[in-house]
Amino acid sequence: MAGLRWFASVAMQLLMILCLVRRSSSQCRFGAVLVNGVNGSTCLCDQGNYGDAAACLPCPKGTYKSEVGTARCRDCPLFSDSEKASISPNNCSCITGYTKISGECFRCLAPDNCAKIVSTREKIGVCGNCSLYFQYNDSGLHVDVGAADYQETLGGEKFCYCTYLDLSNRYLAKLGPSVFSKMRFLERLDLFGNYLASISATAFSNLPYLKQLYLQGNKMRYLPPGLFNNLTSLEGVYLDQNSLIVLEPDVFSGLDNLKTIYLESNNLEEISSSQFQNLGQLQTLEISYNYMVNCLDLPNVTVFQTGCSSP
Ligand SMILES: *[C@@H]1O[C@H](CO)[C@@H](O)[C@H](O)[C@H]1NC(C)=O
Ligand SMILES: *[C@@H]1O[C@H](CO)[C@@H](O)[C@H](O)[C@H]1NC(C)=O
Ligand SMILES: *[C@@H]1O[C@H](CO)[C@@H](O)[C@H](O)[C@H]1NC(C)=O
Ligand SMILES: *[C@@H]1O[C@H](CO)[C@@H](O)[C@H](O)[C@H]1NC(C)=O
Ligand SMILES: *[C@@H]1O[C@H](CO)[C@@H](O)[C@H](O)[C@H]1NC(C)=O
Ligand SMILES: *[C@@H]1O[C@H](CO)[C@@H](O)[C@H](O)[C@H]1NC(C)=O
């Protein structure tokens, strides 16, 4: 009788433990794990997943997260890429034409010659009535025009008459100072789909006619102060799908013709309405898929923002 009772009580306890274990592991949503802390157990996003434990999401392609917890996904090193939900920088493989040397990806000039600096001057095509060359060195990309080419002369200086330049999807990582200064007639500049992480503050100086600037799908974490200072004709700036964390307070100031700003899918935590207050022509601000909690309300502007009432 006593044996039976002992057996029953042990079986009961086992059952309870089993129940507890089952309850606790299913308490966490997909992508989260239960972590024991001083205040009991909490669900936290697992390696390769980010967010709060109520909704963990896999780290996007090109990023990784090695820790369990609330940290962000980190970007893969320059010129490398990873699958979704990667857990380590080792999951980041160099893109085609690059090889990994102590964690960094270097461009291969030939299969057996991979180098950090690429300084060969390459012809990249014809724009308007000039030939264009680019040279890539430690200070970044430099664009220049062929010496014998047709150029417009203005105040004794020669400029290329080219209104649209497409430098998208070219593995560019850095833009040097005044890189487009020989192209002051540019109206549209495509730089999307590169690996731009570093842009000189004067990269876009001397482009008084530029209307559309496409910088989406790069690796920018911040914009240098004054980057858009002299772009007085700018109507649209596309900065979506970067890794922007903060915006300088006056990054768009003085851009009196700006109608469209795209900032979605970045890592912005805070944007203040005052950053857009003096943009008299602004019509559309797209800031969905960021980490912001405050909803922006700007008179006469259509604001697209995740979790806020649609306009
Ligand atoms: C545990 O809970 C106390 C009281 O709520 C809090 O002050 C403390 O920061 C918590 N500790 C951890 C590690 O979460
Ligand atoms: C990351 O690397 C680990 C170890 O090599 C591997 O097990 C895992 O499948 C990789 N993850 C992805 C998303 O490629
Ligand atoms: C990079 O190239 C540009 C253009 O040829 C040149 O002006 C600049 O001094 C170079 N910078 C370095 C660090 O080599
Ligand atoms: C370059 O193109 C512009 C626009 O088509 C034209 O006005 C200018 O005369 C051309 N310059 C030369 C040197 O051919
Ligand atoms: C560019 O902007 C700065 C600051 O607004 C100003 O001092 C400078 O003169 C401008 N340069 C040109 C070429 O317009
Ligand atoms: C919004 O637009 C209306 C009509 O064009 C205009 O009267 C008003 O001043 C604008 N408000 C702001 C804050 O720009």
Side-chain angles (χ1 to χ4, degrees), residues 30-31 47-50 55-61 63 73 83-86:
F30 185 77
Q47 295 178 305
N49 290 271
Y50 74 99
C56 297
L57 292 169
C59 288
K61 219 172 125 50
T63 69
C73 308
E83 295 302 317
K84 252 164 68 165
S86 283

Side-chain angles (χ1 to χ4, degrees), residues 49-305:
N49 290 271
Y50 74 99
D52 60 27
C56 297
L57 292 169
C59 288
K61 219 172 125 50
T63 69
Y64 67 91
K65 179 168 162 273
S66 334
E67 322 84 18
V68 171
T70 52
R72 289 212 180 80
C73 308
R74 287 164 202 258
D75 287 334
C76 281
L78 280 182
F79 304 117
S80 69
D81 211 351
S82 66
E83 295 302 317
K84 252 164 68 165
S86 283
I87 57 165
S88 141
N90 297 332
N91 290 116
C92 303
S93 332
C94 297
I95 57 175
T96 314
Y98 286 71
T99 196
K100 210 178 246 189
I101 304 169
S102 22
E104 268 189 86
C105 296
F106 294 102
R107 178 158 169 190
C108 300
L109 304 170
D112 58 348
N113 177 12
C114 302
K116 185 172 184 179
I117 303 169
V118 178
S119 54
T120 45
R121 190 168 179 262
E122 294 173 54
K123 185 166 176 176
I124 55 165
V126 174
C127 185
N129 43 21
C130 9
S131 298
L132 289 179
Y133 296 84
F134 76 36
Q135 187 168 0
Y136 202 65
N137 63 16
D138 251 359
S139 77
L141 174 75
H142 299 265
V143 176
D144 67 307
V145 292
D149 276 305
Y150 295 117
Q151 296 170 14
E152 294 298 291
T153 307
L154 199 95
E157 229 189 304
K158 284 184 163 187
F159 297 97
C160 172
Y161 190 84
C162 159
T163 54
Y164 169 37
L165 179 58
D166 179 4
L167 292 176
S168 58
N169 301 310
R170 282 173 183 267
Y171 306 129
L172 303 176
K174 244 175 161 183
L175 292 183
S178 306
V179 51
F180 305 110
S181 62
K182 285 284 166 207
M183 316 191 72
R184 73 177 266 118
F185 299 104
L186 274 182
E187 289 173 18
R188 171 175 166 176
L189 177 55
D190 290 5
L191 285 162
F192 60 84
N194 281 296
Y195 282 77
L196 291 172
S198 160
I199 299 188
S200 159
T202 61
F204 305 128
S205 62
N206 209 12
L207 296 175
Y209 306 109
L210 194 69
K211 288 194 176 79
Q212 305 293 338
L213 178 56
Y214 295 91
L215 282 164
Q216 70 270 34
N218 279 290
K219 297 270 183 190
M220 287 181 294
R221 289 169 193 274
Y222 72 98
L223 303 170
L227 183 64
F228 304 135
N229 260 3
N230 298 69
L231 301 179
T232 45
S233 303
L234 200 64
E235 292 177 6
V237 62
Y238 302 84
L239 292 159
D240 36 310
Q241 295 172 66
N242 273 282
S243 310
L244 295 171
I245 299 163
V246 287
L247 287 181
E248 290 289 321
D250 51 2
V251 66
F252 302 118
S253 72
L255 303 181
D256 293 336
N257 291 300
L258 202 53
K259 295 186 175 73
T260 310
I261 303 176
Y262 273 57
L263 282 165
E264 88 261 19
S265 303
N266 276 287
N267 297 331
L268 294 167
E269 283 184 346
E270 212 181 316
I271 302 183
S272 140
S273 339
S274 64
Q275 292 183 294
F276 309 98
Q277 223 115 62
N278 295 319
L279 304 176
Q281 299 295 313
L282 192 63
Q283 292 166 1
T284 308
L285 174 62
E286 166 60 284
I287 45 171
S288 311
Y289 305 108
N290 277 286
Y291 293 106
M292 293 160 56
V293 287
N294 57 319
C295 289
L296 290 192
D297 181 21
L298 297 165
N300 295 354
V301 180
T302 307
V303 181
F304 296 95
Q305 187 175 357

Side-chain angles (χ1 to χ4, degrees), residues 24 27-28 33-44:
S24 43
Q27 264 168 4
C28 297
V33 288
L34 198 66
V35 177
N36 289 317
V38 286
N39 292 338
S41 310
T42 33
C43 295
L44 290 173

